[in-house]
Amino acid sequence: MRLILLLLPFLLGAVAQTCTVRYTSPDYPELPAAKPQVFLSVSPNPAAAPGGLSLQAWTAAPSSTAWVRIRWTGSQLAIQDEGPGSATYPALLSPNPVQGCPQASAGTRDLTWRDNGVHTFAAEAFVYWKEWRTDWSCQYEDQTATVTTAGEMPRYPYYNCQQLRGYWQVQSGVVSTAARVAAYIPWEKTLSYDQALQEFSHRLLEDHKRAGGSMRAYAYAKEIHDPVRSALQKIAQGYFYDCGFLGICQRADPAGEIKILTDVPSILEGLLYTGRLCGGLLTLCFGQQNSRGADIGPKVEIKTFLLVQGWRHDYLLLDRLIPRKYYDPSVPEYAGVPEEERSQALKGCQTYKDTPEGRRCLALVETPTGLTPTLKTLLMIDPMFQRGRPYP
């Protein structure tokens, strides 16, 4: 008896979660007179609050709902599409995370930069409703026929119709709705300085295989370090990959345009290409190599700034150098820097690497395609390129 009393709250909780749909003959007054809708909300905004997502689903008619469930139906990422059952991409939700009546809730795993893209979730519910039906006795080709409508008078080819009766008819079925959620998490949130650059270089090459000549890249830079430099060099030159047994290869055409603005022309060595990509057994040529640089002079203070337009996404990399006097107490000038100035210089530098020259501070952002043309105009890439000394 004591055991039953201890289990009673849990048993009552289980009963409370059971969904029942009641009918009252003959008119079913508690059922809605139209198919109920199901609603789905997703929070928070992944871009503003990185982490997991919380999903809630409910129907407009709780008393006529048998069950509600939430599913993840797929993701459109930067260079691929992923869906349930994918062996390479971990699902955001389990197949049927939570079922309940008349509402359901679910949560996702924490999102990272690998999840950047658009995710689609679906809410489904099995609902009951009632529809008005009217039976008519009509003439049809010299015969008498019974016709059922939603209340309106039957039309041709029926004629001489007489109403027999009106009644409510119970209907049931699954209703659904979908929600698309965009996530663009800064890469440096979960990666170190070196890891972020390595992953970024890999992403550029994978994205370039799909973008080909549609890829664009613009840079203000005093220096471009590996591995980003090597990736940018391959993108500018174009390349063949995944060659088969017969020598048939996949081809990544050179990026449509690469412009590098610098006050240190020596960094342009090996990054500039003009002409076409040529190769293969028959030495065919493809794509136009259009990678150029310009020396804009030492009067312009620039940081390493790289803007890339990819296949689906744009990428923005900012690498700035903070002098040691702002963070290293062993430097004689450290004591002379005002605290406000020091705080301002270090503000926002979450991913960094200390070097003999200073602290290299990295910011790496991924957004939907469309940012590049706007920033190219705002940064006056073309006018500055024309005023500088061009290479080649």
PDB file of all heavy atoms in Angstrom, residues 75-89:
ATOM      1  N   SER A  75      18.806  20.323 -43.467  1.00  0.00           N
ATOM      2  CA  SER A  75      19.583  21.551 -43.365  1.00  0.00           C
ATOM      3  C   SER A  75      20.225  21.870 -44.708  1.00  0.00           C
ATOM      4  O   SER A  75      20.722  20.963 -45.391  1.00  0.00           O
ATOM      5  CB  SER A  75      20.680  21.423 -42.304  1.00  0.00           C
ATOM      6  OG  SER A  75      20.118  21.178 -41.026  1.00  0.00           O
ATOM      7  N   GLN A  76      20.201  23.137 -45.059  1.00  0.00           N
ATOM      8  CA  GLN A  76      20.881  23.616 -46.259  1.00  0.00           C
ATOM      9  C   GLN A  76      22.129  24.365 -45.804  1.00  0.00           C
ATOM     10  O   GLN A  76      22.074  25.535 -45.439  1.00  0.00           O
ATOM     11  CB  GLN A  76      19.962  24.528 -47.074  1.00  0.00           C
ATOM     12  CG  GLN A  76      20.521  24.910 -48.426  1.00  0.00           C
ATOM     13  CD  GLN A  76      19.605  25.829 -49.199  1.00  0.00           C
ATOM     14  OE1 GLN A  76      19.344  26.947 -48.769  1.00  0.00           O
ATOM     15  NE2 GLN A  76      19.104  25.365 -50.335  1.00  0.00           N
ATOM     16  N   LEU A  77      23.265  23.671 -45.823  1.00  0.00           N
ATOM     17  CA  LEU A  77      24.505  24.230 -45.320  1.00  0.00           C
ATOM     18  C   LEU A  77      25.275  24.912 -46.452  1.00  0.00           C
ATOM     19  O   LEU A  77      24.803  24.992 -47.581  1.00  0.00           O
ATOM     20  CB  LEU A  77      25.334  23.130 -44.664  1.00  0.00           C
ATOM     21  CG  LEU A  77      24.599  22.328 -43.578  1.00  0.00           C
ATOM     22  CD1 LEU A  77      25.490  21.241 -43.017  1.00  0.00           C
ATOM     23  CD2 LEU A  77      24.104  23.245 -42.474  1.00  0.00           C
ATOM     24  N   ALA A  78      26.472  25.397 -46.144  1.00  0.00           N
ATOM     25  CA  ALA A  78      27.216  26.200 -47.111  1.00  0.00           C
ATOM     26  C   ALA A  78      27.537  25.430 -48.381  1.00  0.00           C
ATOM     27  O   ALA A  78      27.422  25.953 -49.487  1.00  0.00           O
ATOM     28  CB  ALA A  78      28.497  26.722 -46.469  1.00  0.00           C
ATOM     29  N   ILE A  79      27.955  24.174 -48.259  1.00  0.00           N
ATOM     30  CA  ILE A  79      28.409  23.441 -49.434  1.00  0.00           C
ATOM     31  C   ILE A  79      27.696  22.104 -49.599  1.00  0.00           C
ATOM     32  O   ILE A  79      28.108  21.279 -50.414  1.00  0.00           O
ATOM     33  CB  ILE A  79      29.933  23.211 -49.369  1.00  0.00           C
ATOM     34  CG1 ILE A  79      30.320  22.511 -48.066  1.00  0.00           C
ATOM     35  CG2 ILE A  79      30.675  24.522 -49.490  1.00  0.00           C
ATOM     36  CD1 ILE A  79      31.792  22.193 -47.954  1.00  0.00           C
ATOM     37  N   GLN A  80      26.612  21.872 -48.851  1.00  0.00           N
ATOM     38  CA  GLN A  80      25.916  20.594 -48.966  1.00  0.00           C
ATOM     39  C   GLN A  80      24.537  20.698 -48.330  1.00  0.00           C
ATOM     40  O   GLN A  80      24.254  21.624 -47.579  1.00  0.00           O
ATOM     41  CB  GLN A  80      26.716  19.485 -48.282  1.00  0.00           C
ATOM     42  CG  GLN A  80      26.919  19.721 -46.790  1.00  0.00           C
ATOM     43  CD  GLN A  80      27.924  18.784 -46.175  1.00  0.00           C
ATOM     44  OE1 GLN A  80      28.474  17.929 -46.846  1.00  0.00           O
ATOM     45  NE2 GLN A  80      28.177  18.930 -44.899  1.00  0.00           N
ATOM     46  N   ASP A  81      23.693  19.738 -48.670  1.00  0.00           N
ATOM     47  CA  ASP A  81      22.392  19.590 -48.034  1.00  0.00           C
ATOM     48  C   ASP A  81      22.419  18.329 -47.192  1.00  0.00           C
ATOM     49  O   ASP A  81      22.935  17.295 -47.627  1.00  0.00           O
ATOM     50  CB  ASP A  81      21.272  19.494 -49.082  1.00  0.00           C
ATOM     51  CG  ASP A  81      21.084  20.793 -49.844  1.00  0.00           C
ATOM     52  OD1 ASP A  81      21.397  21.852 -49.280  1.00  0.00           O
ATOM     53  OD2 ASP A  81      20.632  20.745 -51.000  1.00  0.00           O
ATOM     54  N   GLU A  82      21.880  18.420 -45.994  1.00  0.00           N
ATOM     55  CA  GLU A  82      21.861  17.272 -45.088  1.00  0.00           C
ATOM     56  C   GLU A  82      20.441  17.040 -44.602  1.00  0.00           C
ATOM     57  O   GLU A  82      19.664  17.983 -44.426  1.00  0.00           O
ATOM     58  CB  GLU A  82      22.776  17.504 -43.881  1.00  0.00           C
ATOM     59  CG  GLU A  82      24.244  17.659 -44.235  1.00  0.00           C
ATOM     60  CD  GLU A  82      24.908  16.364 -44.665  1.00  0.00           C
ATOM     61  OE1 GLU A  82      24.220  15.313 -44.673  1.00  0.00           O
ATOM     62  OE2 GLU A  82      26.099  16.380 -44.986  1.00  0.00           O
ATOM     63  N   GLY A  83      20.113  15.773 -44.391  1.00  0.00           N
ATOM     64  CA  GLY A  83      18.781  15.435 -43.902  1.00  0.00           C
ATOM     65  C   GLY A  83      18.837  14.303 -42.906  1.00  0.00           C
ATOM     66  O   GLY A  83      19.912  13.752 -42.628  1.00  0.00           O
ATOM     67  N   PRO A  84      17.697  13.912 -42.353  1.00  0.00           N
ATOM     68  CA  PRO A  84      17.660  12.799 -41.398  1.00  0.00           C
ATOM     69  C   PRO A  84      18.252  11.535 -42.019  1.00  0.00           C
ATOM     70  O   PRO A  84      18.024  11.229 -43.189  1.00  0.00           O
ATOM     71  CB  PRO A  84      16.162  12.647 -41.117  1.00  0.00           C
ATOM     72  CG  PRO A  84      15.583  13.997 -41.406  1.00  0.00           C
ATOM     73  CD  PRO A  84      16.383  14.542 -42.550  1.00  0.00           C
ATOM     74  N   GLY A  85      19.027  10.831 -41.229  1.00  0.00           N
ATOM     75  CA  GLY A  85      19.649   9.610 -41.719  1.00  0.00           C
ATOM     76  C   GLY A  85      21.019   9.819 -42.332  1.00  0.00           C
ATOM     77  O   GLY A  85      21.671   8.855 -42.746  1.00  0.00           O
ATOM     78  N   SER A  86      21.492  11.057 -42.404  1.00  0.00           N
ATOM     79  CA  SER A  86      22.808  11.323 -42.977  1.00  0.00           C
ATOM     80  C   SER A  86      23.895  10.708 -42.103  1.00  0.00           C
ATOM     81  O   SER A  86      23.870  10.819 -40.885  1.00  0.00           O
ATOM     82  CB  SER A  86      23.032  12.828 -43.110  1.00  0.00           C
ATOM     83  OG  SER A  86      24.380  13.105 -43.424  1.00  0.00           O
ATOM     84  N   ALA A  87      24.852  10.067 -42.759  1.00  0.00           N
ATOM     85  CA  ALA A  87      25.942   9.435 -42.014  1.00  0.00           C
ATOM     86  C   ALA A  87      27.040  10.426 -41.666  1.00  0.00           C
ATOM     87  O   ALA A  87      27.884  10.140 -40.819  1.00  0.00           O
ATOM     88  CB  ALA A  87      26.515   8.287 -42.833  1.00  0.00           C
ATOM     89  N   THR A  88      27.041  11.591 -42.320  1.00  0.00           N
ATOM     90  CA  THR A  88      28.135  12.545 -42.122  1.00  0.00           C
ATOM     91  C   THR A  88      27.746  13.742 -41.268  1.00  0.00           C
ATOM     92  O   THR A  88      28.617  14.501 -40.857  1.00  0.00           O
ATOM     93  CB  THR A  88      28.640  13.056 -43.481  1.00  0.00           C
ATOM     94  OG1 THR A  88      27.558  13.710 -44.167  1.00  0.00           O
ATOM     95  CG2 THR A  88      29.155  11.915 -44.341  1.00  0.00           C
ATOM     96  N   TYR A  89      26.461  13.914 -41.022  1.00  0.00           N
ATOM     97  CA  TYR A  89      26.025  15.104 -40.297  1.00  0.00           C
ATOM     98  C   TYR A  89      25.119  14.681 -39.139  1.00  0.00           C
ATOM     99  O   TYR A  89      24.100  14.027 -39.350  1.00  0.00           O
ATOM    100  CB  TYR A  89      25.259  16.030 -41.236  1.00  0.00           C
ATOM    101  CG  TYR A  89      24.832  17.337 -40.611  1.00  0.00           C
ATOM    102  CD1 TYR A  89      25.753  18.360 -40.437  1.00  0.00           C
ATOM    103  CD2 TYR A  89      23.528  17.548 -40.194  1.00  0.00           C
ATOM    104  CE1 TYR A  89      25.377  19.569 -39.866  1.00  0.00           C
ATOM    105  CE2 TYR A  89      23.139  18.746 -39.624  1.00  0.00           C
ATOM    106  CZ  TYR A  89      24.062  19.752 -39.468  1.00  0.00           C
ATOM    107  OH  TYR A  89      23.686  20.937 -38.908  1.00  0.00           O
TER     108      TYR A  89
END
